Amino acid sequence: MPVPVLTIDGPSGAGKGTVSRLAAKRLGWHYLDSGAIYRALGLAAVQAGLDLHDSAGVCGVAAEMQLHFDCGDVFTVRLNGLDVTTQLAGETAGKNASLIAADPAVRQALFQKQMDFRRPPGLVADGRDMGSVVFPDAAYKVFLTASSEQRALRRYKQLKEKGIDANLIQIRSEIEQRDQRDRERAVAPLVAPEGALYLDSSDLSIEQALESVLNLVRGD
Ligand code: DC
C-alpha cells in the first residue's frame, strides 16, 4: 500500500500553512512545508554570497545544505544547525524563494528532498506543485486560495504577531508579483491540480477550511 498523501497547494497567504499543519496533527501524519525548503535554499544561497540566478551555484548549495524541521508546538526550521525560522518568515525570503523556484534545475535538485518526507502513516504536503508534480499520485488533493486582499491582510497580521515590521499595501503588491511569477513560470507553475478540491478561504475561518479538508480525507 503506498503511503497516503494529502496535497494542499495554492498561492501565498491562503492559509495553507496553518490548515496543513492542523490537518497533519489531526491525522497524525507527517508534514512537508515545501515553501520552507525553497526559502531556506534562497537564504543559504544569499549567505554563500551567490547571485540567485547562478543556477549551478544554487544547486550546489542545495546539495550541501542541512535542513531540519521541528513540527512540535512551534514550527521551527534549522539550516546548517542554526534556527532560521524568523529569517524565513519575511517577504524577502519569499521573494528569493520564488526567484530560485523558477529555475528547473533548482526544482530538480530539491525534488528528492521533498519525496523523502513521504513516510508512514501519511503525509500532508503544502506548496505550489505538490499535487501536480511532486506527488501526482496523492490520494487527496486540495487547492486552497483566497482573494489577494484577504491574503495580504493575513500575512500582515502574521508578521505583526511575530514582531516583524510590515506594510499592508507593500505586502499586497509583493504577494501579487510573487503570484504572477509562480503562475507564469515555465516549469511546475502554480495550478489547481486535476481533481483537486477547490477551496476559496476568503470567507472561511481556519476551522471551516480545516473541516472541509478533513472531510475529503474521511470521505464524508
Ligand atoms: O509557500 P511559501 O510562500 O513559503 O513559498 C515561497 C516560494 O517558494 C513561492 O513563492 C514559490 C516557491 N515554491 C515553489 O515554487 N514550489 C513549492 N512547492 C513551494 C514553494
Side-chain angles (χ1 to χ4, degrees):
M1 277 288 279
V3 175
V5 180
L6 161 64
T7 60
I8 304 189
D9 289 302
S12 57
K16 277 178 300 141
T18 312
V19 171
S20 302
R21 276 193 272 279
L22 289 171
K25 200 165 265 180
R26 290 274 286 274
L27 294 165
W29 289 5
H30 298 283
Y31 168 58
L32 164 61
D33 179 352
S34 60
I37 298 185
Y38 284 93
R39 284 171 185 256
L41 178 54
L43 177 64
V46 168
Q47 285 175 344
L50 290 175
D51 176 337
L52 294 176
H53 297 98
D54 173 358
S55 181
V58 175
C59 289
V61 172
E64 295 288 308
M65 72 175 177
Q66 298 294 325
L67 262 186
H68 293 280
F69 293 92
D70 184 348
C71 299
D73 285 344
V74 183
F75 179 73
T76 53
V77 185
R78 275 185 298 126
L79 171 64
N80 301 325
L82 294 177
D83 185 345
V84 291
T85 317
T86 308
Q87 269 167 291
L88 296 191
E91 264 312 303
T92 304
K95 184 179 167 197
N96 289 346
S98 171
L99 275 173
I100 58 166
D103 180 343
V106 168
R107 302 198 74 84
Q108 187 56 40
L110 296 179
F111 193 74
Q112 190 60 45
K113 281 189 198 297
Q114 297 172 81
M115 300 270 285
D116 290 344
F117 278 77
R118 187 173 191 169
R119 281 175 278 125
L123 176 69
V124 179
D126 151 3
R128 302 290 186 294
D129 63 341
M130 298 291 97
S132 54
V133 176
V134 182
F135 303 107
D137 66 334
Y140 316 102
K141 298 184 185 184
V142 174
F143 190 78
L144 186 62
T145 189
S147 66
S148 62
E149 290 94 325
Q150 276 296 333
R151 292 188 286 122
L153 193 60
R154 287 178 192 163
R155 181 68 95 198
Y156 173 81
K157 287 182 183 161
Q158 265 177 10
L159 293 174
K160 282 283 182 191
E161 274 165 22
K162 288 180 182 155
I164 300 171
D165 199 26
N167 172 301
L168 184 57
I169 294 171
Q170 193 187 341
I171 288 178
R172 182 165 172 197
S173 137
E174 285 170 346
I175 276 186
E176 286 172 352
Q177 280 173 36
R178 188 137 69 87
D179 282 356
Q180 192 179 0
R181 185 167 39 231
D182 294 345
R183 282 182 212 277
E184 292 179 356
R185 68 182 175 219
V187 58
L190 169 65
V191 284
E194 210 174 310
L197 168 72
Y198 188 94
L199 210 54
D200 185 328
S201 72
S202 303
D203 299 317
L204 296 181
S205 66
I206 289 293
E207 288 71 26
Q208 288 170 319
L210 176 65
E211 264 326 291
S212 302
V213 169
L214 291 175
N215 285 343
L216 176 73
V217 178
R218 294 183 198 122
D220 292 355

